[in-house]
Amino acid sequence: MTTEFNHFPLPKVTLRTQLRAIFVTAQAGWRRYWRYPLNAASSVFQPIIWLTPVFFLGQAFSSDGKLEGFAAFAGTGDYMS
């Protein structure tokens, strides 16, 4: 028994159709992202929230600009790498 699926021919796959699919997918994701305004606020504050403890940890171990306490604890005086 042979089944034919030629009732609905598919469009030819070209670079233009692939780029269009990428654009439509990105556009849908962009709309979904902006549907919830807290996403934008989170994107702004999240780097600050993650980097602030690292900065203050380095400052807490610092005395006179030298990281002697941190170097003794972590093995290196460079707390940003």
Side-chain angles (χ1 to χ4, degrees), residues 4-64:
E4 303 250 349
F5 292 105
N6 294 333
H7 300 292
F8 302 104
L10 296 175
K12 189 174 186 179
V13 178
T14 64
L15 179 62
R16 183 174 182 230
T17 59
Q18 289 178 349
L19 291 175
R20 175 72 178 152
I22 291 170
F23 175 75
V24 169
T25 304
Q27 188 178 27
W30 190 249
R31 276 197 223 118
R32 192 175 313 114
Y33 176 80
W34 285 106
R35 187 174 300 146
Y36 305 101
L38 286 178
N39 283 338
S42 174
S43 295
V44 170
F45 291 117
Q46 196 167 21
I48 297 168
I49 290 168
W50 283 100
L51 292 176
T52 302
V54 173
F55 175 76
F56 285 116
L57 176 69
Q59 293 298 316
F61 280 102
S62 174
S63 64
D64 286 336

